[in-house]
Amino acid sequence: MYTDLQGKTAVVTGGTTGLGLAIVTRYLEEGMNVVADYIGELKVTDDLKAIQDKFGNKLVTFQADVSNEEQVAALAKAATDNFSSIDVWVNNAGIEKPFPTADMPYDEWQKVIDVNLGGVFLGTRAALRDFEKNFKKGSIINMSSVHQQIPWSTFAHYAASKGGTKMFTETVALEYAEKGIRVNNICPGAIDTPINAAKFADPVQKMQTQSMVPMGEIGKPEYVADAAAFLASEQAHYITGTSLVVDGGMELYPAFQHGAG
Ligand code: NAD
């Protein structure tokens, strides 16, 4: 637990499923107020209902498309209307859909860039504006991926968006460091969330992914939430512009494990 997080306010985009929901849950358990952003119709799953019941008005759900400028501004306003100011902003929303690059329609490329990279920019800008207005040493956390580092065939748009997120994070971290505003990336490996549901429903594909993780385990969303709690907290007060990899060793060239190569 990070006692300094108590009473602080976080916005988490894509906050009602997968990694976002795990982070929202952890932040609420840390005593924070949380605005959980979602897109489309709100699906109240058992897990979401449980935290709504447990934490009451400390949790606000708000619909906003992270790739839409006005809607992201409205999301920030919802946070300040409910909880007066913002301390932590997690740009977590993201999408992926494979295409061989030669067959990738331009609008599919653009959609992934708009949500995964454009959404990170719009969320970061909204957070910076609120931090500066209130002289806050806030924390921004971007949900990148091991694919900011590891190339991924048929996911050129996704890998480009995450590589862009890395350089965006480092640049903004440098730009705002003297104000005490921190900007960091989390790079999950293979985590069991809805984005991987179809793949992991197939035991062969699941085993194939698992074999790419030197620690031999598909990650749980809570492992990423642990990283998000740490980076939001004072324990990380000297950490900015970094990428915290949460992948069971996936980035460590697993083909070389056991002396191969
Ligand atoms: P997920 O599909 O459950 O989460 C993505 C969330 O983003 C969903 O709630 C979705 O509704 C929301 N979203 C999509 N487009 C949006 C938009 N335009 N505006 C607002 N919200 C939008 O899957 P997840 O695994 O929890 O993914 C969360 C993040 O983690 C993504 O950025 C993803 O790229 C990243 N990531 C996941 C893994 C993994 O293995 N699960 C690995 C690396 C990176």
Side-chain angles (χ1 to χ4, degrees):
M1 298 295 282
Y2 300 99
T3 50
D4 62 280
L5 290 178
Q6 240 166 49
K8 288 191 172 165
T9 296
V11 174
V12 181
T13 69
T16 61
T17 68
L19 302 183
L21 181 62
I23 294 167
V24 165
T25 304
R26 176 62 186 266
Y27 283 174
L28 288 165
E29 284 166 352
E30 293 281 352
M32 299 179 81
N33 308 307
V34 182
V35 178
D37 151 75
Y38 65 95
I39 190 168
E41 206 167 305
L42 180 62
K43 287 196 199 84
V44 183
T45 56
D46 290 348
D47 287 344
L48 179 57
K49 172 90 172 49
I51 55 170
Q52 282 176 329
D53 290 348
K54 186 167 174 193
F55 296 102
N57 58 11
K58 288 176 81 66
L59 170 63
V60 169
T61 50
F62 190 84
Q63 189 193 358
D65 176 347
V66 297
S67 65
N68 179 297
E69 211 171 346
E70 286 75 33
Q71 292 183 32
V72 174
L75 173 62
K77 185 170 181 312
T80 54
D81 284 352
N82 279 280
F83 304 120
S84 85
S85 64
I86 301 165
D87 301 279
V88 176
W89 188 297
V90 184
N91 290 306
N92 165 75
I95 53 174
E96 62 179 47
K97 186 174 172 190
F99 289 98
T101 304
D103 301 330
M104 188 183 289
Y106 185 60
D107 65 331
E108 294 286 348
W109 163 273
Q110 201 59 50
K111 212 184 306 171
V112 168
I113 298 295
D114 283 350
V115 174
N116 295 12
L117 188 54
V120 168
F121 161 66
L122 290 174
T124 297
R125 190 180 68 176
L128 290 171
R129 287 176 175 173
D130 192 70
F131 295 166
E132 290 202 294
K133 188 170 144 208
N134 295 298
F135 304 98
K136 283 237 167 135
K137 295 182 176 181
S139 170
I140 295 168
I141 298 168
N142 296 326
M143 198 56 69
S144 184
S145 164
V146 290
H147 295 297
Q148 72 173 30
Q149 177 68 27
I150 304 175
W152 197 14
S153 292
T154 70
F155 289 88
H157 47 0
Y158 183 81
S161 74
K162 298 301 188 182
T165 296
K166 174 179 187 286
M167 189 47 79
F168 175 80
T169 296
E170 291 174 6
T171 299
V172 181
L174 176 64
E175 195 174 328
Y176 286 86
E178 63 196 354
K179 294 190 170 165
I181 294 172
R182 299 182 298 108
V183 193
N184 289 293
N185 257 356
I186 295 177
C187 301
I191 316 289
D192 195 2
T193 70
I195 217 168
N196 290 320
K199 185 164 56 190
F200 292 165
D202 172 358
V204 175
Q205 286 194 64
K206 190 170 180 182
M207 270 312 289
Q208 191 188 40
T209 304
Q210 202 164 319
S211 71
M212 297 163 82
V213 183
M215 293 184 89
E217 180 195 359
I218 301 292
K220 296 188 172 72
E222 292 74 22
Y223 302 166
V224 176
D226 288 343
F230 168 66
L231 286 175
S233 81
E234 271 300 305
Q235 296 289 310
H237 73 274
Y238 201 54
I239 299 175
T240 195
T242 200
S243 288
L244 181 46
V245 181
V246 183
D247 73 344
M250 201 177 209
E251 268 195 19
L252 301 175
Y253 298 93
F256 287 83
Q257 203 173 12
H258 308 127

